[in-house]
Amino acid sequence: MTAKLHAAVIGGGAAGMATALELARQGARVTVIEADALGSGSSGRSVGVVGTQMTDPFQLLMRRYGQARFREWEGQGFRFNHIGYLRLARSAAQMRALERSQQMQEEAGFRARVLTPDEMVRLIPHLSAEGLAGGIFGPDDGFLDPYELCTFLGARLRELGGEIRQFCKVTGLARRSGGYRLETAKGAVDCDVVVNAAGAWAPKVAAMFGQQLHIFPERHEAMAILLDQPLDYTMPMVMDLIDGEGTGLNFRHEKPDELISEIHKVSTGAPSDPDDYNDQCMDESREYLAELLLERLPDLPGARLGRGWAGLYPITADRRPFAGPVDPAEPGLITAGGGGGYGIQLAPVIGIAAADWALHGAVVSAPGLEALRPSPDRNRPVGQEERP
């Protein structure tokens, strides 16, 4: 079955390409259909951070599977920037959570250490520790270029015989005996299985199949911080958010004289139309970000805000990704996405689970990831209330 199965993956972002590669590795014939270029959607607008500084055991389980793939790809020549990841804590309760996280990370095979405020300042001389109780630091974490990730996975897929159709929008579909026919701008594609990995567009693709998919496109903004003088150390990724508490400010090294910063939202805003949203930073966002940066990095040398952009986080109600069939009665239609602000680092995990569902009808290669299936209790509308 596996060697003969033909899977069409709709979407050439990180989740789609990771799924496509997992399918091809297991012997499936794969066709990726991307309406634009690889990595041109939400993936290409991500800041690309990959880290393990989490307090939830399931989040760490996902990263154990995901990090194994990143290390494998790095060994094949993919560039991963190991700058480290520091998560800030503001209370004794948060510090206790970080101490538990350190233990869980060590059990999972990750390196991490809990730091005092003084130790954090020694790590990052420009950091103000005012109002902080401490933090946790993972020296092996870092960032990658999301566009490079998509093109790297694309090259690996082609080596395994996979096909990629870029600038090729799905315009129609039909169910047929044992599978589907997708009409596209570059001809029809007959396949046995369809993977909906369209990111912020996934609900629109699902609607074409008569399904209701609750993936919420939330707009986020990122900006460059330009420095008059290059730093004489590498700024790690710094995140001011633990389990929904904190400002959400984060920043990291991009170049010696440039940082990248954004605000990871702690509450859900209004949904955005992926076909019609403002992809530039708004003035009020720049002002708010500058305010937070001045508080946490008050003495950066000649710091000023540079270019900015906006992208979409495809989020779910429980902030965990979807990987599996929405409708058990239609096992040949698989959803792969909804990673939200962690979409890049969870792309390998989504790919593993989605490929298993497509090929085996269940998760067989990564125990625990069956929890990512978009079951009715998970595939529900994203509320406007604050969520962790």
Side-chain angles (χ1 to χ4, degrees), residues 202-222:
K204 295 186 177 185
V205 171
M208 296 176 66
F209 288 89
Q211 292 187 344
Q212 188 172 38
L213 182 64
H214 294 291
I215 290 180
F216 184 100
E218 184 176 75
R219 184 177 176 277
H220 283 248
E221 298 167 315

Side-chain angles (χ1 to χ4, degrees), residues 1-315:
M1 175 68 175
T2 298
K4 298 179 182 178
L5 183 140
H6 180 200
V9 178
I10 302 175
M17 296 311 298
T19 303
L21 184 57
E22 290 292 336
L23 287 163
R25 283 164 56 124
Q26 295 190 52
R29 178 186 167 202
V30 181
T31 302
V32 174
I33 304 170
E34 165 55 48
D36 204 305
L38 294 185
S40 59
S42 297
S43 293
R45 293 178 172 272
S46 166
V47 299
V49 173
V50 178
T52 62
Q53 311 312 306
M54 312 301 292
T55 60
D56 174 32
F58 185 70
Q59 292 288 345
L60 280 171
L61 174 68
M62 289 194 289
R63 282 155 180 81
R64 182 162 62 83
Y65 291 125
Q67 293 288 53
R69 284 291 186 268
F70 283 123
R71 298 293 82 81
E72 175 188 335
W73 297 336
E74 191 176 10
Q76 296 168 354
F78 179 68
R79 183 167 59 104
F80 189 102
N81 304 281
H82 295 276
I83 62 171
Y85 188 119
L86 175 67
R87 192 177 286 272
L88 308 178
R90 293 172 173 268
S91 67
Q94 287 187 336
M95 287 299 292
R96 289 192 293 271
L98 295 187
E99 288 166 0
R100 292 191 295 271
S101 174
Q102 179 188 27
Q103 181 178 355
M104 289 189 294
Q105 288 186 69
E106 289 176 351
E107 292 170 354
F110 301 132
R111 292 197 300 162
R113 65 180 190 272
V114 175
L115 303 181
T116 66
D118 287 344
E119 289 172 327
M120 293 194 301
V121 173
R122 285 197 289 271
L123 177 69
I124 306 174
H126 290 95
L127 182 74
S128 168
E130 184 177 353
L132 300 178
I136 189 169
F137 180 67
D140 301 320
D141 296 339
F143 74 97
L144 52 84
D145 183 309
Y147 175 75
E148 287 183 10
L149 175 64
C150 294
T151 55
F152 171 82
L153 297 178
R156 297 285 297 121
L157 177 64
R158 290 188 178 100
E159 290 172 3
L160 294 176
E163 179 185 1
I164 301 173
R165 298 188 183 186
Q166 300 183 76
F167 304 99
C168 182
K169 189 173 183 178
V170 175
T171 57
L173 60 90
R175 290 175 172 86
R176 60 181 181 84
S177 177
Y180 303 88
R181 166 163 286 194
L182 302 180
E183 300 294 342
T184 80
K186 296 185 178 180
V189 176
D190 290 326
C191 59
D192 305 297
V193 171
V194 173
V195 178
N196 178 4
W201 291 265
K204 295 186 177 185
V205 171
M208 296 176 66
F209 288 89
Q211 292 187 344
Q212 188 172 38
L213 182 64
H214 294 291
I215 290 180
F216 184 100
E218 184 176 75
R219 184 177 176 277
H220 283 248
E221 298 167 315
M223 277 164 269
I225 306 168
L226 307 179
L227 308 176
D228 284 346
Q229 303 173 28
L231 298 178
D232 58 4
Y233 62 94
T234 298
M235 179 72 73
M237 172 66 179
V238 179
M239 171 67 83
D240 183 9
L241 189 67
I242 297 178
D243 299 332
E245 296 182 8
T247 64
L249 172 70
N250 60 83
F251 48 88
R252 66 159 173 82
H253 166 91
E254 174 71 6
K255 303 173 185 176
D257 59 353
E258 182 178 334
L259 308 178
I260 296 293
S261 181
E262 66 166 353
I263 299 171
H264 197 128
K265 296 181 181 179
V266 297
S267 60
T268 302
S272 295
D273 182 349
D275 290 314
D276 184 22
Y277 76 97
N278 179 8
D279 63 358
Q280 301 300 310
C281 286
M282 296 184 290
D283 289 342
E284 55 265 36
S285 300
R286 297 175 70 90
E287 292 170 5
Y288 181 51
L289 182 62
E291 196 175 291
L292 294 178
L293 287 168
L294 187 60
E295 174 190 20
R296 195 53 59 204
L297 296 171
D299 299 316
L300 278 179
R304 63 194 185 281
L305 295 180
R307 72 192 189 285
W309 65 94
L312 300 178
Y313 283 2
I315 64 175

